[in-house]
Amino acid sequence: MLKINEHYQALPGNYLFAEIARRTAEYGAANPEKELIKLGIGDVTLPLSPAVIAAMHSAVDEMADAATFMGYGPYEGYAFLREAIVRHDYAPVGAAIAADEIFVSDGAKSDCGNIGDIISADSTVAVCDPVYPVYVDANAMSGRAGDWDGRRWTNIVYLPCNEANGFMPELPVRVPDLIYLCFPNNPTGAAATREQLKIWVDYANRNASVILYDSAYRAYITEPGIPRSIYEIDGAEECAIEFCSFSKTAGFTGTRCGYTVIPKALRRGGESLNDMWMRRQSTKFNGVSYIVQRGAEAVFTEQGLRETRALIAYYMNNARVIRDGLKAAGLTVYGGINAPYVWIKTPGGLPSWDFFDKLLRTANVVTTPGAGFGPEGEGFIRLTGFGDAERTGEAVSRVAGVL
Ligand code: PLP
């Protein structure tokens, strides 16, 4: 008889956003007259930019003609896109990343989880707390997390990120093999400086650990001097893998395109992780559609860059409205400056799911409870700047009104 992967049975409850959707749907069904404003899940709302749309239309036309039709593409992505990524995302920040160190994928979520395929099942994993839940759950599914004790996984090394340390993790005593870092951070909105990242790069190189650096929000950095890539830090090419995505940079959440960087210099156990990932991708992945890769390439054209900057400015203005409005209403708020997320302390130490329910029922605003991102997220909620500007303003007024 088939034996299932028993690690799935150890997973607690629903995936966070599925639980939010369930509670929201339940409330909506019971109160159909209420108009809900959803600022919970970090999903974009503006359409793709005209430059991207034009490139995708033209790629569709190529697919319609036998002379230009494209079948399976390269597993690692078309050279035109990988070279554009090097020219626009790495060369300008002084990071010596080459096109053959880039793997185009259907987004950062899959790669953040799937990277575990090339890592031993008994590796120790460290994550920031609070954290994007995918890192933890994906490792729990592979049996690296240990047992769920009702609050934490016994084998995960949690790196607390709280008000006391400015939401910046400190080096752990127990040395992990893998260290997930995400800056600008989801959910806290914190961004790491060069000096802060250098500490982690030196630590990883000293201990032969590998940093899994998620820079999905790199395009949202507004403060000067904040690194957009871990490869801006000396030594990172020997200890870090970077995940990036067009989802938040250019509104590709539904279009699906991202990329993972694995430098050739990154070797562990005598093996090149770049070679191993290529082996993995060529076995389990058949690439991102030609049409989508042409759309992603257009993000880097002059027009694409201009239009993309406008999308980001729109979302960051929403983040500012949330931040300023809720601060004025007396709440303690963080983030919203280098990331589209605002991390809000619940009033009076209210548990975060209770504050979520309160705002759902009284203000009809959907948020994300901080506890869903890890134990240190308790006592916070997250709001996103990805909504419609007018409705975001309305949501802030409603929340301020019920406080
Ligand atoms: N990484 C972080 C930190 C995210 O917040 C998200 C999405 O919200 C992702 C990765 C997923 O990105 P993608 O849409 O490229 O899968």
Side-chain angles (χ1 to χ4, degrees), residues 293-352:
Q293 292 193 58
R294 280 294 183 199
E297 181 194 26
V299 169
F300 297 118
T301 59
E302 207 182 306
Q303 181 192 348
L305 290 169
R306 193 174 58 247
E307 291 168 350
T308 300
R309 271 197 293 272
L311 297 179
I312 292 167
Y314 178 92
Y315 296 134
M316 286 308 282
N317 190 53
N318 287 345
R320 187 190 54 74
V321 166
I322 296 170
R323 198 184 145 89
D324 293 353
L326 296 186
K327 216 173 178 175
L331 291 175
T332 304
V333 303
Y334 298 95
I337 289 172
N338 293 305
Y341 297 118
V342 185
W343 189 236
I344 300 152
K345 203 169 170 178
T346 64
L350 206 61
S352 53

Side-chain angles (χ1 to χ4, degrees), residues 347-387:
L350 206 61
S352 53
W353 275 109
D354 290 1
F355 195 45
F356 168 89
D357 283 332
K358 179 182 158 125
L359 294 180
L360 177 63
R361 287 161 203 284
T362 60
N364 301 145
V365 173
V366 181
T367 61
T368 306
F373 295 104
E376 289 286 328
E378 185 52 279
F380 287 86
I381 57 159
R382 189 197 73 177
L383 284 183
T384 93
F386 285 125

Side-chain angles (χ1 to χ4, degrees), residues 3 21 29 41 47 69 111 126 131 165 173 184 187 206 225 240 247 265 271 312 317 391:
K3 275 180 75 185
I41 190 163
F69 172 79
D111 286 1
V131 71
N165 59 25
V173 178
R206 218 165 40 243
S247 282
E271 295 288 338
I312 292 167
N317 190 53
R391 290 168 68 75

